[in-house]
Amino acid sequence: MKRQHISDAVIRRLPRYYRYLDELHAKGVVRISSNSLGKRMGITASQIRQDLSCFGEFGQQGYGYNITALRAEVGHILGVDEKHRLIVVGAGHLGHALLQNFDFVSSGFRLDTAFDVSPALIGSTINGVLIRGINELEDYCAAVHPAVAVLTVPKAVAQETAARLISLGVRGIWNFTNMELTVESGIFVEDVHFADSLLTLSYRISAAPQLEKESS
Amino acid sequence: MKRQHISDAVIRRLPRYYRYLDELHAKGVVRISSNSLGKRMGITASQIRQDLSCFGEFGQQGYGYNITALRAEVGHILGVDEKHRLIVVGAGHLGHALLQNFDFVSSGFRLDTAFDVSPALIGSTINGVLIRGINELEDYCAAVHPAVAVLTVPKAVAQETAARLISLGVRGIWNFTNMELTVESGIFVEDVHFADSLLTLSYRISAAPQLEKESS
DNA sequence: TAGATTGTTAATCGATTAACAATC
DNA sequence: TAGATTGTTAATCGATTAACAATC
């Protein structure tokens, strides 16, 4: 294992490894080789071994990888066992949908509170999560020190809300606002750009038939 | 302009170009050089010119790019002017949130219908979109021929629903089910893996302080 | 015209894949 | 032991950046 910079490409593959290992683990499979995992995932065995070698030596020659152990290792690398505190800021349709559908716990986060401005929502509970007024944000953060905030507020207040969260000690923002946020170094923003995602699909279905025409 | 294979890296940058150009266009800015656009976006001017050159020659020496024209070109490349038909399959919390918040029209799609199994939802309207029973899917597709389906159904029925949609002529699936779908070639799946996205954030906030400790 | 900026070719950099000695 | 498979080094491939002639 070489102590080195971990590239973004490697980091973005880790959750996928974790997902596959979790599934194999749930199925009760005990061991797997880089070769057969690669076949399942549609990537090369070399890439898997190369990626894992950034973090340690988790396999055994002639045997492969123990799934339970490797799953735990990858989970540890991703930080799922750190049980970071998380808050949802903005409990509109999207925030509501995430609170209802998304399993924050199995991604290694703890949450008990969402924030919103709407008096109609404040005091109610979604999937066991209490909705508080945004004016309680300062007190809550001072007490609980959430590490991550899910930003599902309207675009117009995205940047100011992000700055406010960062000033309260939040270090990671899961950004659904379709705005590119400006943040200081040491703060991490993970964007979920719905429009960008859908547009790549638009490109592919638009470009594909053209390619057919060209080759005919 | 070289007729060539367009790499995934280039395709994924196109929507971001489009977003920036759209914003500049809305502000009324007339022209921009690859250099100043690159500064704004945090990428090199070379990369912008290289990317655009995959599709044509849109600039002018000594001047740069006309924003209105380039925005239209990039939009055209992405297929936003094709007004593809789109349906939403699954009108639960997430489907509902997308129907309420997401501007399908400005991404170049037309939609009038979502499908669900819940009798409580069927017949109602969300943001002008009618919710029909999933049993009407065949008739609707035969009549309208949607090119893209937004898949927001429960994980358990994701694969079978995808297969059904493909058999009805859908060529692109915007997949929110957190399942990796198996599809034939010529069909495009764009995954929105919430868990993968959040886990990269978990990694970064977990790894960052460790790096600090190491260097101290 | 002179300055600016393109599109493209060449150089560099980084990521992926292949190969293989080590060893379970 | 013999076969399998690792971790790592080397080779290849592709993507990014730099350089520059062309030209508006």
Side-chain angles (χ1 to χ4, degrees), chain B residues 101-114:
Chain B
N101 294 334
F102 187 76
D103 186 355
F104 288 98
V105 172
S106 75
S107 291
F109 290 90
R110 282 186 296 160
L111 86 160
D112 57 19
T113 306

Side-chain angles (χ1 to χ4, degrees), chain B residues 17-203:
Chain B
Y17 291 140
Y18 189 63
R19 194 146 39 81
Y20 273 84
L21 291 166
D22 202 48
E23 201 179 289
L24 289 162
H25 177 73
K27 277 187 192 163
V29 183
V30 173
R31 55 171 276 224
I32 196 160
S33 67
S34 56
N35 200 274
S36 49
L37 182 58
K39 283 229 176 73
R40 261 171 196 274
M41 297 183 64
I43 60 179
T44 64
S46 263
Q47 182 159 71
I48 293 173
R49 296 204 300 276
Q50 189 75 279
D51 285 353
L52 294 177
S53 77
C54 297
F55 303 99
E57 306 189 3
F58 308 123
Q60 199 171 48
Q61 284 107 323
Y63 176 86
Y65 300 88
N66 176 285
I67 285 172
T68 304
L70 186 59
R71 174 183 170 281
E73 290 284 2
V74 176
H76 178 70
I77 292 162
L78 287 169
V80 301
D81 45 12
E82 297 200 21
K83 304 270 176 269
H84 292 291
R85 284 280 190 165
L86 177 145
I87 56 176
V88 172
V89 182
H93 287 100
L94 187 56
H96 193 124
L98 288 171
L99 287 166
Q100 281 288 355
N101 294 334
F102 187 76
D103 186 355
F104 288 98
V105 172
S106 75
S107 291
F109 290 90
R110 282 186 296 160
L111 86 160
D112 57 19
T113 306
F115 295 89
D116 203 284
V117 292
S118 163
L121 292 172
I122 295 167
S124 70
T125 282
I126 299 173
N127 203 11
V129 174
L130 176 65
I131 303 180
R132 293 175 196 262
I134 190 82
N135 57 304
E136 295 185 47
L137 190 61
E138 278 70 18
D139 286 352
Y140 182 90
C141 289
V144 173
H145 299 294
V148 168
V150 182
L151 198 64
T152 44
V153 297
K155 208 171 172 168
V157 297
Q159 179 64 57
E160 62 185 83
T161 307
R164 186 171 166 194
L165 289 163
I166 291 164
S167 77
L168 296 170
V170 165
R171 292 185 299 126
I173 294 179
W174 200 20
N175 177 32
F176 286 82
T177 68
N178 210 34
M179 280 269 299
E180 303 211 357
L181 302 174
T182 305
V183 300
E184 42 271 69
S185 79
I187 306 297
F188 301 94
V189 176
E190 170 70 12
D191 292 314
V192 180
H193 280 305
F194 287 136
D196 288 15
S197 173
L198 182 57
L199 283 174
T200 65
L201 194 55
S202 177
Y203 171 84

Side-chain angles (χ1 to χ4, degrees), chain A residues 25-36:
Chain A
H25 177 73
K27 278 187 192 163
V29 183
V30 173
R31 53 170 278 223
I32 197 160
S33 67
S34 57
N35 200 275
S36 48

Side-chain angles (χ1 to χ4, degrees), chain A residues 12-121:
Chain A
R12 297 216 161 263
R13 280 192 293 271
L14 291 175
R16 191 152 176 265
Y17 291 139
Y18 189 63
R19 192 145 41 81
Y20 273 84
L21 291 166
D22 201 48
E23 202 179 287
L24 289 163
H25 177 73
K27 278 187 192 163
V29 183
V30 173
R31 53 170 278 223
I32 197 160
S33 67
S34 57
N35 200 275
S36 48
L37 182 58
K39 283 228 177 75
R40 261 172 196 275
M41 298 183 63
I43 60 180
T44 64
S46 263
Q47 182 160 71
I48 294 173
R49 296 205 298 279
Q50 189 75 279
D51 284 353
L52 294 177
S53 78
C54 297
F55 303 100
E57 306 188 5
F58 307 123
Q60 200 171 46
Q61 282 107 325
Y63 176 86
Y65 301 87
N66 175 286
I67 286 171
T68 305
L70 186 59
R71 174 182 169 280
E73 290 284 2
V74 176
H76 179 69
I77 293 161
L78 287 169
V80 301
D81 45 12
E82 296 199 22
K83 304 270 176 269
H84 292 291
R85 284 282 190 164
L86 177 146
I87 56 175
V88 172
V89 182
H93 288 100
L94 187 56
H96 193 125
L98 288 171
L99 287 166
Q100 281 287 356
N101 294 334
F102 187 75
D103 186 354
F104 288 98
V105 172
S106 75
S107 291
F109 289 90
R110 282 185 296 160
L111 84 162
D112 57 19
T113 305
F115 294 90
D116 204 284
V117 292
S118 163
L121 292 172

